[in-house]
Amino acid sequence: MNINASIIDQQITGIIEEHPEWLPKVNDTDRKKSAAFILLCMSNCLEISMDEAAELLTDGGNDAGVDGLHISGVEDGEFLVTIFQGKYKVKDLGGDANFPENSVQKVVNTVGTLFDPDKHIELNPLIKPKIEEIRSLVRDGYIPNVRVILCNNGAKWNAQAQLWIDQSKLPENQIQWIHFNHDSIIDILRKTKSVNDTLLFSGQAVVEDFNFRRILVGKVKVSVIAELFERHSDLLLERNIRRYLGLHSNRVNLAIHRTLKEPEQRGNFYFFNNGITVICRKFRYNALQGSNYQVKLEGMQVINGGQTCKTIQQTLNDPDLFAEYENIYVMVRIYELAEDDQDFVRDITYATNNQNPVDLRDLRSNDEIQKQLELGIKGFGYSYKRQREKQKDEKEAAEKKVSSSLVAESVLAVWREKPHQAKFLRREHFGKLYEEIFTNLNAAQALLAATIFRKVENERKRLEGAGYSEIDFLPYASYYIAMVIGRTLLVDHKLSINNVNHRNFNELVNSLESSIELYHKRASDLIRSGLVKCYGERKISLQQLSATFRRGDLLEMLS
């Protein structure tokens, strides 16, 4: 028995016992174990909580071989789709069985179909709205980048399965195939290890004491960076906000790769790239030398330039080409920081990564307004999660904890009345939209918005679970319905949002809970009327519905 495989099997058993609501409502234990395994994989790959991962499950009949599906927001005309396909061996925990060849073939065929809006495919109600949402984005000219993550509690697929992938003629610059297994999960869950190593700088370097800290700036061969990452891999990225997103394949990575591959361009790589930022507890070098320092680092971490490092590593993996990169350099900055400099580390990470749209939730977690919300929400008997949750936090009662990401999207939809931005611009909630969302927001307003959105989502699941399909726009409309309910709730109580506080919070929540079905129906009817104003009485396709809610076309009709 493989030790890591048995640890994961133990976790899966715990999920089944403690959270049956996350799993398919069937009496098949093996199927539940497979679903729980997919949940674990999605939670760790995407760095989301388990209950968030449960929303991504698509397992069932007519699922086109897709067990889980995640769609990112649009960025620079592109969006990222992550497809999960899982195969879990319940009785074999040896950890050495290959991912099934026929399953790889099935996913290859699926990918070739899902992203073509003109191809028809029969799908179950869980996955069909999501696929039509993808196809709607494609019709609007957005380019999908696809990660296919094949998960099992065994080894990677065999050579024949790889041949299916190679012969598929699917565009390599848009699709990435990744194997993820029990060892991958354990690698992510294990405690961060201290990385101590040596970096060889070429030529002269600048070493300086500045503001009670030490810095070193110089150039390093890309071959040295590749070797460093071969030795330590993602351990070097534990504090990088793109940690583990070596899975990402995007235009930035491709541009780095192309520059390194082109003989005419690679000599200028140093000038084209923004460089790599490394923090450490301590660095040492021979100051008697004038150049070519061998710098010894303790507790080193790459906090910016992780994509550069991973792309260098992958590009230089070809041993025949390795020698050609001996005179290609990248700029490296080293900051020696004390253990009690955590806030400064966060500030550096935010500043050096803020040029690109990324999930900035953790970096905003120590803002004064986030601390105030945490304190205020605690007064209502809830816990406010300023940072992303770790696995050990899952046992806390879900209904009594509220994440900052949930508050951000709920407030933007309900009180700021921008439901389309709440859903499709999630990556900007803690970036460009942060001030708009959180300025002048008290704990009662934040918690009420989150409560409204949760009630709407629960009602959506109830209606879908009951097979109620008359509301065909339901999978796309939660943010709009929450907005209308919030507006109606305030009107019924003759309040403005500025008047919502700790004194009337319980009254508002009680009113919401006692009449949620009525509020939901009134909001749904209003949205249906808005759609009639837009399209008349004709039948609207799911792709059109997805586009309508994404673009915010309905807002004028609902004003």
Side-chain angles (χ1 to χ4, degrees):
M1 181 181 290
N2 181 287
I3 294 176
N4 285 348
S6 66
I7 291 173
I8 296 304
D9 192 67
Q10 211 170 4
Q11 290 196 13
I12 287 170
T13 302
I15 292 170
I16 294 172
E17 292 174 353
E18 295 170 21
H19 293 285
E21 72 276 9
W22 290 343
L23 305 172
K25 306 297 188 290
V26 294
N27 292 322
D28 187 339
T29 303
D30 289 359
R31 187 175 162 192
K32 286 186 176 181
K33 281 204 164 190
S34 295
F37 177 64
I38 288 293
L39 281 182
L40 267 179
C41 292
M42 292 194 295
S43 174
N44 285 284
C45 270
L46 301 172
E47 291 189 316
I48 58 177
S49 64
M50 291 288 286
D51 52 346
E52 289 176 296
E55 285 293 298
L56 307 179
L57 279 176
T58 57
D59 184 27
N62 290 335
D63 60 12
V66 177
D67 296 326
L69 185 67
H70 178 264
I71 308 169
S72 77
V74 174
E75 175 192 341
D76 292 335
E78 302 178 355
F79 64 102
L80 179 67
V81 178
T82 307
I83 294 172
F84 290 87
Q85 157 69 262
K87 294 297 173 185
Y88 190 76
K89 286 190 171 290
V90 176
K91 297 178 181 177
D92 180 7
L93 299 182
D96 52 7
N98 292 107
F99 193 94
E101 176 189 322
N102 60 342
S103 296
V104 174
Q105 184 181 11
K106 185 176 182 181
V107 178
V108 167
N109 294 334
T110 294
V111 172
T113 303
L114 293 185
F115 297 90
D116 187 340
D118 296 320
K119 289 185 178 178
H120 177 73
I121 184 171
E122 290 294 330
L123 297 166
N124 70 47
L126 279 176
I127 191 173
K128 186 171 183 178
K130 297 179 180 180
I131 296 302
E132 295 305 328
E133 182 178 318
I134 292 169
R135 291 176 162 190
S136 174
L137 285 165
V138 171
R139 281 198 185 279
D140 282 352
Y142 297 108
I143 300 171
N145 290 311
V146 185
R147 297 186 298 182
V148 182
I149 303 182
L150 303 180
C151 318
N152 69 337
N153 56 338
K156 192 177 178 178
W157 53 86
N158 61 22
Q160 180 56 48
Q162 184 61 46
L163 198 59
W164 286 115
I165 294 173
D166 296 339
Q167 292 179 345
S168 66
K169 296 183 180 178
L170 294 169
E172 293 182 8
N173 64 334
Q174 279 184 260
I175 299 177
Q176 190 176 15
W177 299 82
I178 299 124
H179 177 241
F180 195 85
N181 66 1
H182 51 284
D183 292 326
S184 308
I185 298 174
I186 295 298
D187 284 345
I188 293 174
L189 295 178
R190 73 177 185 265
K191 186 178 178 181
T192 304
K193 296 179 181 177
S194 179
V195 178
N196 304 323
D197 211 319
T198 300
L199 270 179
L200 175 60
F201 281 72
S202 298
Q204 294 186 336
V206 175
V207 184
E208 189 176 0
D209 291 340
F210 182 66
N211 278 0
F212 306 102
R213 302 175 179 99
R214 297 175 71 214
I215 62 171
L216 187 152
V217 181
K219 63 180 186 289
V220 174
K221 292 180 178 180
V222 294
S223 57
V224 171
I225 299 298
E227 289 169 343
L228 178 72
F229 268 74
E230 285 296 322
R231 290 194 294 272
H232 302 291
S233 192
D234 292 319
L235 277 178
L236 287 159
L237 303 176
E238 289 291 335
R239 295 178 69 166
N240 185 292
I241 55 179
R242 291 187 182 89
R243 183 182 70 81
Y244 205 70
L245 296 188
L247 298 181
H248 266 307
S249 175
N250 60 29
R251 58 185 180 80
V252 176
N253 292 352
L254 293 171
I256 295 170
H257 176 73
R258 280 196 297 268
T259 303
L260 286 170
K261 292 288 284 184
E262 291 289 335
E264 299 83 9
Q265 297 287 329
R266 67 170 70 120
N268 293 320
F269 185 77
Y270 178 89
F271 301 100
F272 294 161
N273 191 272
N274 289 332
I276 299 163
T277 304
V278 179
I279 61 169
C280 65
R281 290 191 304 272
K282 185 176 183 180
F283 70 78
R284 293 175 294 147
Y285 67 100
N286 179 13
L288 297 176
Q289 287 180 247
S291 60
N292 300 325
Y293 299 135
Q294 287 206 44
V295 182
K296 294 184 177 180
L297 299 99
E298 296 179 10
M300 66 183 299
Q301 284 284 297
V302 175
I303 62 168
N304 184 254
Q307 293 185 84
T308 296
C309 294
K310 294 292 290 183
T311 306
I312 287 172
Q313 179 193 14
Q314 291 164 6
T315 304
L316 271 64
N317 263 344
D318 187 339
D320 296 330
L321 295 176
F322 195 88
E324 296 184 24
Y325 295 95
E326 275 304 293
N327 295 312
I328 311 303
Y329 302 92
V330 64
M331 182 172 69
V332 175
R333 296 175 290 271
I334 298 176
Y335 301 145
E336 182 181 286
L337 305 173
E339 283 293 329
D340 59 359
D341 241 346
Q342 297 305 306
D343 289 343
F344 187 60
V345 171
R346 189 174 291 108
D347 290 342
I348 294 174
T349 310
Y350 177 81
T352 54
N353 284 281
N354 198 29
Q355 307 147 15
N356 301 304
V358 292
D359 182 2
L360 302 174
R361 175 184 170 190
D362 286 351
L363 301 173
R364 294 284 196 180
S365 62
N366 278 337
D367 284 2
E368 191 59 34
I369 192 168
Q370 296 299 319
K371 293 179 180 178
Q372 288 174 344
L373 283 175
E374 181 181 37
L375 188 62
I377 288 173
K378 185 177 180 181
F380 289 104
Y382 292 76
S383 65
Y384 182 62
K385 302 298 181 181
R386 292 184 283 127
Q387 294 178 310
R388 284 174 291 183
E389 299 174 71
K390 304 210 182 289
Q391 206 69 35
K392 63 184 179 183
D393 296 326
E394 298 289 355
K395 291 184 180 180
E396 187 178 356
E399 66 275 8
K400 283 296 181 181
K401 74 184 171 187
V402 180
S403 68
S404 58
S405 58
L406 173 64
V407 166
E409 60 185 339
S410 302
V411 168
L412 188 58
V414 179
W415 305 137
R416 309 311 182 223
E417 299 206 343
K418 294 185 177 177
H420 55 310
Q421 292 184 357
K423 180 174 182 179
F424 293 102
L425 293 181
R426 287 193 184 101
R427 300 185 75 173
E428 299 295 350
H429 290 178
F430 291 85
K432 294 177 183 176
L433 298 171
Y434 183 77
E435 299 297 332
E436 180 177 1
I437 293 169
F438 288 100
T439 299
N440 299 323
L441 180 72
N442 65 37
Q445 295 161 2
L447 197 53
L448 182 58
T451 303
I452 290 170
F453 185 70
R454 276 182 168 171
K455 295 291 182 187
V456 169
E457 279 291 88
N458 289 339
E459 189 66 6
R460 175 184 64 78
K461 293 172 190 174
R462 184 186 72 80
L463 291 171
E464 287 181 346
Y468 185 64
S469 58
E470 289 183 27
I471 310 178
D472 50 3
F473 57 78
L474 199 61
Y476 308 109
S478 288
Y479 294 86
Y480 285 78
I481 291 173
M483 178 190 74
V484 174
I485 289 177
R487 186 190 294 170
T488 309
L489 185 66
L490 294 183
V491 169
D492 287 352
H493 287 263
K494 298 181 174 60
L495 292 171
S496 71
I497 180 58
N498 294 330
N499 301 128
V500 174
N501 54 46
H502 62 284
R503 294 179 177 179
N504 50 31
F505 174 79
N506 287 331
E507 179 187 354
L508 290 166
V509 170
N510 291 337
S511 176
L512 176 72
E513 289 180 341
S514 63
S515 305
I516 183 58
E517 291 184 25
L518 177 60
Y519 275 119
H520 194 281
K521 185 179 185 308
R522 288 165 66 185
S524 299
D525 289 345
L526 185 62
I527 289 171
R528 185 182 288 106
S529 298
L531 288 169
V532 170
K533 290 179 184 177
C534 285
Y535 294 102
E537 297 290 346
R538 66 184 176 85
K539 178 74 174 176
I540 312 170
S541 72
L542 291 181
Q543 288 183 30
Q544 285 177 309
L545 282 172
S546 173
T548 301
F549 286 99
R550 183 176 68 251
R551 296 171 189 152
D553 297 348
L554 274 176
L555 288 176
E556 185 178 349
M557 305 298 179
L558 300 176
S559 61

